[in-house]
Amino acid sequence: MQKIPLMVPWLGEAEIEAVSEVIKSGWIAQGPAVKRFEQAFKERMVSADAVAVANCTAGLQLALIVAGIQPGDEVIVPSFSFIATTNSVIHAGAVPVFADVAIKTGNLTAASIASAVTDRTRAVMVVHQAGVPADLDEIFAYCKPRGLTVIEDAACAVGSTYKSKPIGSHSDLVVFSFHPRKILTTGEGGMIATRNLNWATRLRRLREHGMSMSAADRHATGGVSIENYSEPGFNFRMTDIQAAIGLVQLSKLNDSVQRRRELAARYATYISDISGLHPVVDPPYGTCNFQSYWVELDDSVLKPRNNVMEELESRGISTRRGIMTAHREPACKKYFREPLPISERLSDNSLILPLYHTMSYAEQDHVIESLIQVVR
Ligand SMILES: *Cc1c(COP(=O)(O)O)cnc(C)c1O
């Protein structure tokens, strides 16, 4: 059997066709395909608007700006996340304050947020880690009366749901990633779903150098129009080449999520029976897209997690360590305040198993059987 990879993007002829159409059109930068992708995305996520950006990290940074976060303001984030969550706060000039996560979901809770709040807290960046939805209503109920803006880092959560509605529909700043490690990919790319149309206008301006009228719109008018620049912006645009891929990927999203959930359920059937192993599952209030399928090894597993990973690797199975923690990295150490025992435990004692659209049952069986032999 060939080596089993962790993740394979689900790309095909339709994406190739869509890209060549854009190239033949003569307009490859941000233009009509980006507009179509935004339109289709907002409809699928049941949001009022969606603004495409270069990547999720850039989108998080713009979200912090439109939320009015100022230098010195504190923004609560989970340390248990890819480091981009924390980096976006630092680059917005704000101070990241780490809060711990729940062991079952890997996500912030109202209680963990409450224990990190100070009188300088202005916002909370809630991550739907690995596609597991956070308990949004509980978090909104805590944050709203205190005037704290909630920004959702939904980098991993395209196609996940909270209380039967898609992630992307519940608040005013929900930021997605389309990196190939995520399940809907455009190579690089991101999207900010918002219900606030004024913010959508400002986000579009900020992503394109602060320009009052986009280059594509100026071109489309045919006449002479002079743009102005009301505030310093960024170049965080997505290209039409990426958006064309995104449109095809979005049309495959339901199939993609369905297949991942089917494979995840199959993993769970076998792995839940192995003592000491705790696979990620749907929380009671929502559904996961199983962007990353993580398994926590508890103390009854005598082998260290890294040895388990090495032995699986020697059997031709790629795995990754659990989600990282930011507070133990040199880049973010100085922001560490309160102990984060659950974040550290989850990060150090979990691993991510292979899961991709074209994974066969035979490949999955090999992973399951190997895991059973290795941890026994
Ligand atoms: C992947 C990821 C990001 C970064 O997304 P990019 O599109 O690569 O910028 C941010 N947050 C989380 C939780 C992620 O998993």
Side-chain angles (χ1 to χ4, degrees):
M1 189 174 278
Q2 285 195 328
K3 189 163 167 100
I4 298 177
L6 189 79
M7 172 69 170
V8 184
W10 183 32
L11 296 162
E13 285 304 319
E15 284 86 350
I16 295 170
E17 184 63 31
V19 167
S20 57
E21 287 296 315
V22 166
I23 294 171
K24 286 178 201 155
S25 79
W27 189 282
I28 57 172
Q30 177 187 286
V34 167
K35 245 183 208 153
R36 286 201 302 277
F37 185 30
E38 290 176 337
Q39 180 73 29
F41 194 85
K42 83 173 188 204
E43 282 169 14
R44 173 62 180 75
M45 300 310 144
V46 197
S47 188
D49 208 346
V51 179
V53 283
N55 55 66
C56 175
T57 313
L60 291 171
Q61 220 177 307
L62 295 188
L64 289 157
I65 294 171
V66 299
I69 302 307
Q70 302 291 318
D73 287 351
E74 290 183 359
V75 178
I76 293 175
V77 296
S79 167
F80 182 75
S81 183
F82 183 53
I83 200 163
T85 308
T86 299
N87 284 346
S88 69
V89 174
I90 296 170
H91 291 306
V95 179
V97 175
F98 298 121
D100 214 354
V101 295
I103 189 86
K104 281 204 168 149
T105 61
N107 287 326
L108 295 182
T109 62
S112 77
I113 293 166
S115 69
V117 160
T118 75
D119 55 12
R120 302 173 67 139
T121 310
R122 295 288 171 269
V124 178
M125 197 171 271
V126 177
V127 179
H128 303 291
Q129 194 51 257
V132 183
D135 192 348
L136 288 172
D137 283 348
E138 185 207 70
I139 291 168
F140 294 151
Y142 178 82
C143 291
K144 284 188 181 161
R146 289 167 178 82
L148 306 177
T149 303
V150 173
I151 296 170
E152 294 177 59
D153 177 346
C156 303
V158 69
S160 294
T161 66
Y162 177 72
K163 296 192 176 167
S164 308
K165 284 167 66 190
I167 292 294
S169 64
H170 303 90
S171 74
D172 291 334
L173 292 165
V174 190
V175 191
F176 296 87
S177 171
F178 306 136
H179 183 272
R181 183 63 187 77
K182 324 294 183 186
I183 72 175
L184 187 167
T185 187
T186 59
E188 293 281 358
M191 191 77 83
I192 309 163
T194 183
R195 303 176 306 184
N196 182 324
L197 299 180
N198 291 328
W199 282 0
T201 303
R202 188 162 176 222
L203 289 166
R204 288 201 166 86
R205 217 167 43 220
L206 284 169
R207 76 171 168 193
E208 193 168 14
H209 306 291
M211 239 181 250
S212 59
M213 189 181 197
S214 79
D217 286 347
R218 242 182 312 134
H219 180 81
T221 61
V224 175
S225 45
I226 310 292
E227 78 284 6
N228 63 56
Y229 301 82
S230 52
E231 63 179 322
F234 301 83
N235 178 0
F236 285 166
R237 286 175 295 213
M238 176 184 278
T239 69
D240 265 21
I241 300 171
Q242 292 164 303
I245 301 171
L247 274 160
V248 178
Q249 289 270 295
L250 187 64
S251 73
K252 293 157 70 168
L253 179 62
N254 291 349
D255 286 349
S256 175
V257 172
Q258 197 186 352
R259 176 68 179 158
R260 297 186 77 82
R261 289 184 57 77
E262 186 193 335
L263 289 165
R266 218 167 158 268
Y267 263 144
T269 311
Y270 297 99
I271 294 174
S272 310
D273 286 344
I274 311 172
S275 94
L277 299 194
H278 307 280
V280 61
V281 294
D282 283 337
Y285 49 72
T287 59
C288 306
N289 61 6
F290 293 103
Q291 141 85 55
S292 289
Y293 193 83
W294 93 61
V295 179
E296 188 216 341
L297 317 179
D298 70 25
D299 293 342
S300 69
V301 178
L302 299 176
K303 225 172 252 177
R305 189 268 321 264
N306 291 359
N307 294 25
V308 173
M309 290 177 66
E310 276 159 22
E311 288 182 37
L312 288 171
E313 184 72 30
S314 72
R315 290 162 191 249
I317 297 163
S318 296
T319 60
R320 290 287 181 281
R321 65 163 177 170
I323 313 296
M324 66 176 292
T325 58
H327 73 278
R328 293 183 288 182
E329 296 299 325
C332 306
K333 252 188 187 145
K334 70 171 181 183
Y335 301 106
F336 177 59
R337 289 183 190 170
E338 298 295 326
L340 301 162
I342 302 174
S343 299
E344 293 187 5
R345 176 175 147 197
L346 256 188
S347 183
D348 295 344
N349 299 301
S350 57
L351 55 84
I352 297 173
L353 295 180
L355 185 60
Y356 44 93
H357 188 82
T358 51
M359 186 179 212
S360 68
Y361 288 161
E363 287 170 326
Q364 195 182 25
D365 290 343
H366 179 55
V367 176
I368 294 164
E369 282 153 20
S370 304
L371 185 64
I372 291 172
Q373 286 161 10
V374 168
V375 300
R376 199 171 265 159

